[in-house]
Every structure is written in C-alpha cells, then in structure tokens.
Amino acid sequence: MAPNAERPGLEERCNGGSAWACEAWGYQLMEQYQEEAADRAFGLACAQEALLACLTQGKLRMKRGDLEGADPPLRKAYDAGYEEGALALADLYEARGEGASASRLRWEALAIDKSTVEFALGLRIPWQGKTGGALDMNVQPMELEARRLVLGLNLSFPEQLTLNATVGYQHFVTNWAAPYARALVGARVGEQRARLNLGAEVGVKLFAGPIGHLGAAVGSSLDGSMYTVVELGLDWVLTLYVLAHL
C-alpha cells in the first residue's frame, strides 16, 4: 500500500465481504442514529454467521416495532444454540402475546449452549475400602427435555470393573448449576456368571457452557456400597483433542 493511500473504511470492507466490518459499521451507524442503514449492516454480518450481529439486528427491529422482521435473525441465533438468542426470541414471543412459547424458550435457554455428548472422568471415593475411578459418556440432546434427561454409559472400577447403563435427570437452577439424580444398571466385567449391579447417585453439576462441567455426587451400588464421586466432564470434541495431544 502506498504511504499516502487511505485504508478502506468499514463500509467498503463490509461490502467486500468482511463480517467483522459489517458488524462494526452497524454499531457506528447506530451511534449516528441511522437505524435503517445499521439494520442492513447487521443483516450482512448475520448472513455470514455472525450470531451477535443477528441478535443485535433482531433487537433493533423489535425496538422499531417490526416484530415479524425480528423473528428470522433471532431464530437464527436460537437455532445455532446461542443462549442470548433464545432469550431474545422469548422476549419477541412475549411481545406477540404468546406467553406459553416465551416460557418454553426461557426454559430451554438455561441448557441450550451445553454439550450434546460429553465424557467425564471421576474419582470415586468409597466410604469404606479403596479409592477407585469412573469413566462416563453422557448423551443429553435438546430433544430430551432440553438436556434435562441424560442417557449414558458408566465404567466404574472401585475394585472390579463394572459396566453400567445410566439414565438421569438434571434440573437447571441457573445456566451454570444443575442438581441431578441418576440410576445405574449393569454387571461386572470378566466374570463367568455376571452379577447384576444396581446403583443410584445424587449430586450437582457446575457447567462452563459448551466446554463441560465439574460434578460431585454421593451414591450407592451393589459393587461398592456408599461412595462419593468427583468428576470432570468435557465435550466430546474437546476430549478427542486432549487425547490427541497427550
């Protein structure tokens, strides 16, 4: 670039295909009270999957009274699993007089950005006996009561290896904390005559959005009496990344 050449402005870079420039230009236009032009700029950014721009465009349209026009960008943010998108869409439904749909969206928003499949490694501390461990795979899609219902597999090794199927329910008090309870049904691995294992756990999970969670629970099972378990859960993509770099 020549020393005296001017750098392209936000508008020029936006028209050149930069989502960041479109979003920044939109905020600049809002400061200048050019809301229609800002709407166009945010729309260009939203079309390039800039979810914050979708959210801002939708809120701007709601402010201007364009409830129908606000629906597509807010729904795009919601469909992408963006918590703020779900909450803003709930506000839109409330403004339309659709209170039941708004309540449902606010209920979904607490869990919408959480991992669908995660792996958890736990330290299992029996109230009597040797310390062991546990490995869990949890499946919790939005289709199962907005991640409240959790299905999974559990491999525990207090003394002998036990493989269990699990089913549980977690109640999101906030978007980061959820008490939970689950049942375990399985059998010891490697025995000629498999012995049925039954168990139950009650605990709490502290979530870090889509990354994973920290959990602590107390439980009881036929393979290890009463115990406490502390676990770290990670989204399956992050789990594979960590394993690949060990």
Side-chain angles (χ1 to χ4, degrees), residues 107 110-111 114-116 118 138-142 144-151 167-174 177-182 203-207 213-214 231:
W107 181 72
L110 296 175
K114 308 304 184 286
S115 173
T116 298
E118 62 178 13
N138 299 319
V139 181
Q140 48 187 21
M142 286 294 289
L144 294 180
E145 293 297 315
R147 306 198 202 285
R148 269 67 174 180
L149 184 62
V150 184
L151 305 177
V167 59
Y169 188 85
Q170 53 194 10
H171 174 69
F172 285 87
V173 179
T174 69
Y180 77 95
R182 69 173 182 170
V204 64
K205 296 178 182 178
L206 304 179
F207 289 91
H213 75 272
L214 284 173
E231 67 177 19

Side-chain angles (χ1 to χ4, degrees), residues 124 126-128 158-159 188 197 219-227:
R124 181 165 159 161
W127 293 10
Q128 291 182 342
E159 292 182 0
R188 290 184 176 178
N197 179 60
S220 178
S221 68
L222 297 180
D223 72 349
S225 65
M226 298 291 293
Y227 61 87

